[in-house]
């Protein structure tokens, strides 16, 4: 009898252990946004170790990607007036990726938007609508072709170009977190609008992670969910960073063709991809392209994307069903799923 009770206890413990691994969440502020990394492990100490290791990696990347910190590589490069600069391996890799995605999107994503970003000052006390002459002068300095990657972490900026990695920084950080993990790890990393869902979600039978697609009019509410595993889900839109002047909204994603905030009829774009840096660059680029051009780009490049338009239509590309379980929930909030 005693042996039987012991066996039952052992079985219960085994079930309990697999059903309820310990979780630990690290909440912190980095890259100008709130971040939250939850890790699961066999006990709380293991989970905490993983979460803290991820947090430390993200914090260490901040000076590698920032352009406002005066001790950062990008700040130095932007002030170098065309001279060759040696940057860290992380900074070089991020610039290299940015140039690759700029070429892929025909410059809709362009990492040399810094003069325009500075001019408009969205999310700063200096936010304003600039004069056309100022916009023209800033635009003349925009062009990713002016980034000269010389190898061995050496970079030179030509034609007055200045780098702004704001459009891929959080994606690059999400990929850096993914690289720290092994097959046993379970981690949900929420770096602002960038989510990385890795390994098995212990609280669901399917092992998938459920990620909400926010309502652009109410970021606390969802209009759809995607169930994913070992993928990143990135959303860019006009609802978080903007200012209003004379009844108009001016947001932070600029169209390199006009120098104005992209006015493409979209409210948000979400991309699901194994590479978060790519997803981050593509959400920005697709937001600039708009629905029609964006859908054509996704079909040609096999991109899983979800578009939310200003007239409350939700579109998903064919690839979405291949990489996740997509559930539309926006009907009650006035959205329509245009299949
Ligand atoms: P978020 O930072 O809110 O996640 P994005 O990933 O779309 O949003 O990045 C927007 C940021 O990228 C802007 O704040 C600016 O720094 C930069 N940016 C704006 N327009 C572009 C563009 N067309 N291409 C590349 N970067 C851009
Ligand atoms: Mg982006």
């Amino acid at each position: 009898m005693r042996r039987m009770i012991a066996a039952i206890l052992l079985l219960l413990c085994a079930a309990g252990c697999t059903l309820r691994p310990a979780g630990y969440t690290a909440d912190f502020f980095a890259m100008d946004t709130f971040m939250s990394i939850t890790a699961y492990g066999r006990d709380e100490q293991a989970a905490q170790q993983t979460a803290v290791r991820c947090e430390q990696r993200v914090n260490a990347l901040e000076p590698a990607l920032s352009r406002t910190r005066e001790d950062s590589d990008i700040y130095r490069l932007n002030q170098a007036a065309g001279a060759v600069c040696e940057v860290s391996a992380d900074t070089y890799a991020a610039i290299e990726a940015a140039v690759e995605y700029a070429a892929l999107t025909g410059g809709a994503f362009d990492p040399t938007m810094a003069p325009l970003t500075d001019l408009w000052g969205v999310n700063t006390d200096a936010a304003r609508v600039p004069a056309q002459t100022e916009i023209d002068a800033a635009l003349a300095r925009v062009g990713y072709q002016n980034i000269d990657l010389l190898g061995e972490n050496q970079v030179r900026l030509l034609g007055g170009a200045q780098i702004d990695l704001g459009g891929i920084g959080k994606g690059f950080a999400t990929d850096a977190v993914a690289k720290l993990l092994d097959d046993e790890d379970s981690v949900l990393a929420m770096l602002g609008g960038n989510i990385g869902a890795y390994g098995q979600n212990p609280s669901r039978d399917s092992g998938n992670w459920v990620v909400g697609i926010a309502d652009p009019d109410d970021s606390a509410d969802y209009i759809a969910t995607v169930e994913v595993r070992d993928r990143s889900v990135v959303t860019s839109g006009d609802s978080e960073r903007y200012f209003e002047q004379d009844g108009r909204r001016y947001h932070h994603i600029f169209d390199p063709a006009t120098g104005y905030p992209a006015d493409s009829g979209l409210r948000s774009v979400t991309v699901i991809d194994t590479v978060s840096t790519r997803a981050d660059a593509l959400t920005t680029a697709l937001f600039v392209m708009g629905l029609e051009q964006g859908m054509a780009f996704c079909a040609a490049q096999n991109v899983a994307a979800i578009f939310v338009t200003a007239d409350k239509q939700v579109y998903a590309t064919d690839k979405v069903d291949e990489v996740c379980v997509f559930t539309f929930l926006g009907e009650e909030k006035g959205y329509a799923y245009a299949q």
Side-chain angles (χ1 to χ4, degrees), residues 31 33 67 98 102 105 107-114 116-118 122-123 142 164-171 191-194 234-238 240-241 251-257 260-262 269 279-285 287-288:
M31 300 181 178
T33 193
R67 73 188 179 91
T105 60
F109 170 84
D110 192 313
T112 60
M113 296 296 261
L116 265 178
T117 316
D118 283 342
V122 179
N123 250 36
V142 172
D164 170 11
L165 296 179
I168 58 159
K170 281 166 270 168
L191 313 189
N194 280 62
V234 180
T235 300
S236 280
D238 69 0
E240 300 272 318
R241 291 168 197 262
H251 61 80
H252 74 321
I253 301 174
F254 297 100
D255 183 342
Y260 269 74
V269 182
D280 203 355
L282 291 184
T283 54
T284 307
F287 194 92
V288 170

Side-chain angles (χ1 to χ4, degrees), residues 141-161:
R141 298 166 60 197
V142 172
Y144 67 92
Q145 295 88 346
N146 285 333
I147 300 175
D148 201 5
L149 290 159
L150 302 162
E152 297 183 343
N153 302 339
Q154 312 269 327
V155 195
R156 172 171 63 169
L157 298 179
L158 307 170

Side-chain angles (χ1 to χ4, degrees), residues 122-336:
V122 179
N123 250 36
T124 71
D125 293 340
R128 69 185 176 99
V129 180
Q132 190 60 47
T133 48
E134 294 176 288
I135 292 176
D136 291 343
L139 269 180
R141 298 166 60 197
V142 172
Y144 67 92
Q145 295 88 346
N146 285 333
I147 300 175
D148 201 5
L149 290 159
L150 302 162
E152 297 183 343
N153 302 339
Q154 312 269 327
V155 195
R156 172 171 63 169
L157 298 179
L158 307 170
Q162 291 195 327
I163 289 181
D164 170 11
L165 296 179
I168 58 159
K170 281 166 270 168
F172 191 82
T174 307
D175 286 332
V177 164
K179 282 180 193 144
L180 290 180
L181 307 177
D182 58 37
D183 292 347
E184 306 299 303
D185 286 316
S186 294
V187 166
L188 182 67
M190 293 192 274
L191 313 189
N194 280 62
I195 289 167
Y198 305 112
Q200 165 120 357
N201 178 358
S203 45
R204 288 178 70 89
D205 289 343
S206 64
N208 290 339
W209 307 85
V210 183
V211 178
I213 311 291
D215 178 351
D217 286 329
D218 176 8
S219 60
D221 212 347
Y222 300 132
I223 56 169
T225 57
V226 290
E227 268 184 55
V228 291
R229 182 133 155 213
D230 294 327
R231 281 199 163 70
S232 177
V233 181
V234 180
T235 300
S236 280
D238 69 0
S239 49
E240 300 272 318
R241 291 168 197 262
Y242 65 89
F243 68 94
E244 278 172 341
Q245 191 173 309
D246 302 326
R248 274 203 62 182
R249 173 181 291 213
Y250 298 96
H251 61 80
H252 74 321
I253 301 174
F254 297 100
D255 183 342
T258 63
Y260 269 74
D263 186 16
S264 59
L266 294 177
R267 296 298 313 281
S268 78
V269 182
T270 299
V271 169
I272 304 143
D273 203 297
T274 49
V275 181
S276 193
T277 311
R278 182 175 135 99
D280 203 355
L282 291 184
T283 54
T284 307
L286 293 170
F287 194 92
V288 170
M289 288 180 198
L291 180 67
E292 204 177 319
Q293 205 194 327
M295 287 291 274
F297 177 90
C298 291
Q301 298 294 331
N302 217 13
V303 177
I306 298 156
F307 297 80
V308 182
T309 69
D311 51 5
K312 298 201 161 200
Q313 302 287 305
V314 178
Y315 293 81
T317 64
D318 293 342
K319 178 88 175 168
V320 167
D321 283 334
E322 268 177 54
V323 300
C324 68
V325 181
F326 173 78
T327 309
F328 177 68
L329 301 167
E331 215 166 271
E332 277 176 20
K333 290 161 207 106
Y335 289 87

Side-chain angles (χ1 to χ4, degrees), residues 3-21:
R3 210 187 281 165
M4 212 165 102
I5 292 172
I8 290 170
L9 279 177
L10 198 74
L11 270 178
L12 282 176
C13 175
C17 294
T18 39
L19 282 176
R20 258 178 273 123

